[in-house]
Amino acid sequence: MPGHTYHLKPRGLHRGAALTLVFASVLATAAATGSLPHEDGAGTEIKTRSVSSTVGSVDREEIAEAAADAEADGKSGTDAAEEVVSRSGDRWGAVYDEREYEDFERALDGSYTGVGISARRSARGEVTVTGVQPGSPARAAGVRKGDLLRTVDGRRVEKRPVAEVVALLRGDREGAGEGTSVVLGLSRGGHSWTTTLRRARLTTQPVSVRRLGEDPASAVLIKVAAFTRGAGSAVREAVDEAPGDAGILLDLRANSGGLVTEAVTASSAFLDGGLVATYDVHGEQRALYAEPGGDTERPVVVLVDGGTMSAAELLTGALQDRGRAVTVGSRTFGKGSVQMPSELPGGSVAELTVGHYRTPAGRTVEGSGITPDVGAGQEAQQRGETVLSGLGGGS
């Protein structure tokens, strides 16, 4: 839809998420690049700012006026806009300053400034390192998966939302960029220590592929960490290059979303055209379609969990509803609302909810997520391989 930009993203995971019609969220981690934008159908990416007068449940002019008044008084227009948005009751509404928004634009290419740590909050409320990116400052400093993050620049993090922890690691509020330092307080077992890292420009690898055995008929595991630019094509290429009738284990666990177009492109690897999702914007209905020519014969199992969000839920719902894949794991996050950004005085950007998307069968994802066909926890991959083998997809 030319002239408009829409997205989906969970506010609580990272202020800077989404950009155009994004069913995204934050890669709820320090390595998070944030939510990402979308193309309308399989067409041209929509990136123009919205000029709509009403955004979500609050009038855009009210937000713009608050920002303009603050700027005129020598105050922060972004802070003023945030206050209005916070009163709107919009669960996913957010405001980004100009620099943050530029950073998120770069994130669309899978590039971000940080230290290379991904993290999530444990059941006990601790911030646990769930991954360390190869070649990152954190890897060089010896940070490991399973370490507990206690402080960032002396600020305790155990009671902070993961989004705030991510912002501290990236230095969002301080305007810290590449080469700036950040001091982390960590613990492992009974040992605690601090280490100083320098933020670097890092690039994520959103798709990884490996065989699950030596046999020519062995299944292929395709892990999609996020739907940044090129992820959809990488999935299609991996499916095209999979040997013979080998099954596909598509791992979308902990995938917090990304570009909707990339999710639609990925769906086109498994579908011969047809509906992927519908969505509404201010009550106007629209649809997303897969491209024709996908592999509709190869057995497919999709792995999901509570970290499967937004664009990843879009893809999961499409393959499940259309009977193209068996889903295995635990219920997905449940992020299915659409945000539309509007540029404000001073260069900041406000995003508020304008609609929701649905799976091909008409199911609403927002708040409910997607329930997999086969329930599984930590053993999800093993269970998925068993299911795939039963479908004739190798082992």
Side-chain angles (χ1 to χ4, degrees):
M1 177 179 167
H4 294 272
T5 301
Y6 305 110
H7 0 166
L8 298 113
K9 68 163 178 13
R11 174 176 186 155
L13 296 179
H14 184 189
R15 289 186 74 248
L19 303 160
T20 45
L21 177 64
V22 176
F23 302 83
S25 54
V26 188
L27 292 157
T29 67
T33 60
S35 327
L36 313 155
H38 159 84
E39 297 175 11
D40 200 294
T44 304
E45 183 177 80
I46 303 170
K47 297 187 65 176
T48 56
R49 300 294 192 267
S50 167
V51 294
S52 173
S53 62
T54 302
V55 195
S57 59
V58 65
D59 190 88
R60 175 194 177 280
E61 297 306 324
E62 180 183 351
I63 303 174
E65 183 178 353
D69 288 347
E71 293 280 340
D73 291 339
K75 300 177 181 178
S76 169
T78 300
D79 289 346
E82 283 181 342
E83 184 176 349
V84 175
V85 171
S86 68
R87 295 198 306 264
S88 72
D90 188 336
R91 183 183 181 190
W92 308 120
V95 177
Y96 313 110
D97 65 32
E98 189 172 11
R99 187 190 64 81
E100 287 174 333
Y101 206 67
E102 289 174 352
D103 283 346
F104 308 144
E105 289 282 357
R106 286 194 292 270
L108 299 179
D109 292 318
S111 175
Y112 71 100
T113 298
V115 296
I117 292 175
S118 59
R120 45 189 348 178
R121 188 170 303 286
S122 71
R124 294 188 297 178
E126 298 171 318
V127 178
T128 304
V129 175
T130 56
V132 182
Q133 185 170 331
S136 67
R139 175 62 66 86
V143 180
R144 301 178 192 170
K145 179 179 179 179
D147 288 347
L148 299 181
L149 182 61
R150 301 296 191 185
T151 61
V152 177
D153 284 335
R155 306 173 193 174
R156 299 193 64 83
V157 300
E158 71 271 13
K159 294 183 179 180
R160 295 176 183 266
V162 174
E164 291 186 17
V165 178
V166 171
L168 290 173
L169 288 166
R170 289 170 53 100
D172 285 346
R173 282 300 190 184
E174 295 77 14
E178 184 176 359
T180 58
S181 62
V182 57
V183 181
L184 307 187
L186 300 144
S187 66
R188 180 187 305 154
H191 174 57
S192 297
W193 76 101
T194 61
T195 183
T196 300
L197 308 180
R198 290 195 176 277
R199 298 180 178 94
R201 175 64 60 180
L202 301 171
T203 301
T204 60
Q205 296 297 324
V207 179
S208 59
V209 184
R210 67 181 177 88
R211 297 284 296 280
L212 294 175
E214 299 298 327
D215 189 278
S218 295
V220 175
L221 174 66
I222 303 176
K223 169 67 175 176
V224 186
F227 285 105
T228 51
R229 283 198 182 102
S233 295
V235 171
R236 292 198 66 167
E237 182 177 347
V239 173
D240 289 344
E241 294 181 353
D245 297 324
I248 300 294
L249 196 62
L250 182 63
D251 191 350
L252 300 181
R253 291 174 297 175
N255 182 318
S256 57
L259 294 161
V260 170
T261 19
E262 296 298 336
V264 172
T265 298
S267 74
S268 299
F270 308 103
L271 300 171
D272 186 14
L275 187 64
V276 174
T278 60
Y279 63 99
D280 61 276
V281 176
H282 294 313
E284 184 179 347
Q285 300 300 311
R286 306 182 185 283
L288 301 168
Y289 296 95
E291 296 178 1
D295 187 329
T296 60
E297 301 297 327
R298 195 186 298 272
V300 181
V301 168
V302 180
L303 302 181
V304 297
D305 64 6
T308 303
M309 306 164 70
S310 300
E313 290 178 286
L314 175 79
L315 174 57
T316 302
L319 298 183
Q320 186 184 55
D321 277 6
R322 297 188 56 185
R324 186 60 191 92
V326 176
T327 53
V328 176
S330 53
R331 186 165 64 91
T332 63
F333 182 83
K335 174 64 176 71
S337 58
V338 182
Q339 280 69 50
M340 177 165 58
S342 293
E343 189 169 0
L344 303 174
S348 58
V349 176
E351 293 181 346
L352 292 177
T353 302
V354 296
H356 298 83
Y357 80 87
R358 293 175 176 79
T359 68
R363 291 183 294 162
T364 299
V365 175
E366 178 69 21
S368 58
I370 293 174
T371 301
D373 302 308
V374 180
Q378 295 296 323
E379 77 287 2
Q381 181 171 330
Q382 181 180 353
R383 181 73 63 86
E385 290 181 32
T386 299
V387 172
L388 192 59
S389 178
L391 296 173
S395 60

